[in-house]
Amino acid sequence: MSTLAGKTILMSGGSRGIGLAIALRAAADGANIAMLAKTDTPHPKLEGTVHTAAEQIRAAGGQALPIVGDVRDDDDITEAVLKTQGEFGGIDIVINNASVIDLSRSLDLGAKKYDLMQDVNVRGTFMLSRAAVPILKDAENPHILSLSPPLNPTPKWLGAHTGYTLAKFGMTMVTLGLAAEFARDGIAANTLWPRTTIATAAVQNLLGGDRVMAASRTPDIYADAAYAVLLKPAAEYTGQTLIVEDVLEADGVTDFSGYAAVPGTPDDRLFPDIFLD
């Protein structure tokens, strides 16, 4: 059984939620995790900073390198890549976790918020991944993993929240493009998206509060699926838009009841995530 012991992950965001869950799953193996995140001080509505995340990673058995910075800033990206390489000797995995969500309709979406989603979700994914590619090329089993959905450009999803849809599909297109471009270098690039909503602060605050939270799964299901993806042979397992539950089922997991945010919630009562039919 292979593990992520000694592997180095560079993640955007990760102070809380799904990114932190993925980091903690890798830390349990003894992985090194560098996080490029903006949350230097506590947010009034959201718990967790890059520093508290680093403490949790170390407590879980991993090495942590918290880097305060912004994935929109090219200098911050360069510094994060160089610091990570300097601290841990290389980079094996890039996880594009940082993402901005705003489900506003087109006439209600502020121009600044539109730009923010494009800058963080699409440009950030491209620039962070690209900056790490020269180092990933030297890794034994290099992976890029973006937390974005399969491309499903139906009127239902394009029309639901055009600005956000563009930004999430853009993340996916960047990732699929990198998969094709760097296949000969043996770098895997895949996306991962859940079939149900995940109980995070974003869901609580933006998608529907307690009702949707109660009909969601915990971030652990995303973390377990991401972990499974990152152990796959990079040369063969690339260019895919993966679904969390499909990844786990392929590895023999058939019972997802333990992932219910509210124990005992039947699967058919869970809230389906956006972008999937």
Side-chain angles (χ1 to χ4, degrees):
M1 174 70 186
S2 56
T3 77
L4 294 179
K7 299 282 187 184
T8 296
I9 296 171
L10 173 58
M11 177 183 291
S12 61
S15 300
R16 62 184 74 88
I18 292 162
L20 180 56
I22 292 172
L24 293 176
R25 181 65 189 86
D29 276 6
N32 311 313
I33 295 129
M35 280 181 169
L36 172 62
K38 285 196 322 218
T39 46
D40 188 25
T41 55
H43 185 284
K45 288 184 185 169
L46 303 169
E47 61 178 279
T49 68
V50 67
H51 308 294
T52 60
E55 288 168 17
Q56 289 180 257
I57 287 164
R58 294 182 189 115
Q63 302 287 326
L65 178 64
I67 303 166
V68 177
D70 192 333
V71 77
R72 294 175 295 169
D73 186 307
D74 295 342
D75 291 338
D76 286 1
I77 285 176
T78 301
E79 185 181 15
V81 168
L82 293 175
K83 272 187 174 174
T84 304
Q85 184 185 34
E87 180 81 11
F88 299 123
I91 298 173
D92 299 282
I93 294 160
V94 171
I95 298 178
N96 295 298
N97 163 73
S99 185
V100 176
I101 179 170
D102 189 319
L103 302 181
S104 297
R105 309 288 290 176
S106 295
L107 298 182
D108 301 323
L109 181 63
K112 280 188 174 174
K113 204 56 170 295
Y114 176 92
D115 290 344
L116 182 65
M117 288 194 287
Q118 284 291 325
D119 284 350
V120 172
N121 301 10
V122 189
R123 189 182 189 279
T125 294
F126 180 82
M127 292 296 176
L128 184 65
S129 302
R130 183 179 77 164
V133 159
I135 303 168
L136 287 171
K137 283 181 179 180
D138 294 330
E140 190 183 338
N141 193 43
H143 276 269
I144 296 168
L145 184 64
S146 301
L147 309 190
S148 61
L151 298 177
N152 189 12
T154 61
K156 175 180 178 180
W157 294 120
L158 283 173
H161 24 65
T162 303
Y164 179 62
T165 299
L166 271 175
K168 292 308 285 192
F169 285 176
M171 280 181 81
T172 297
M173 292 179 77
V174 164
T175 308
L176 294 176
L178 295 172
E181 187 175 355
F182 297 107
R184 67 183 58 183
D185 297 297
I187 299 173
N190 298 289
T191 68
L192 186 63
W193 195 251
R195 216 178 273 155
T196 75
T197 50
I198 302 294
T200 63
V203 168
Q204 175 81 48
N205 296 336
L206 299 169
L207 279 185
D210 296 337
R211 186 179 66 86
V212 176
M213 287 286 276
S216 299
R217 288 185 169 132
T218 65
D220 293 339
I221 192 170
Y222 218 138
D224 288 347
Y227 178 80
V229 171
L230 298 174
L231 289 178
K232 297 279 192 281
E236 302 155 28
Y237 199 85
T238 186
Q240 300 188 66
T241 54
L242 302 162
I243 301 297
V244 163
E245 290 82 353
D246 293 349
V247 169
L248 294 174
E249 281 171 357
D251 279 359
V253 179
T254 52
D255 180 7
F256 298 135
S257 61
Y259 294 116
V262 175
T265 307
D267 285 358
D268 61 7
R269 298 295 301 277
L270 295 172
F271 206 80
D273 209 348
I274 54 180
F275 300 124
L276 304 182
D277 291 330

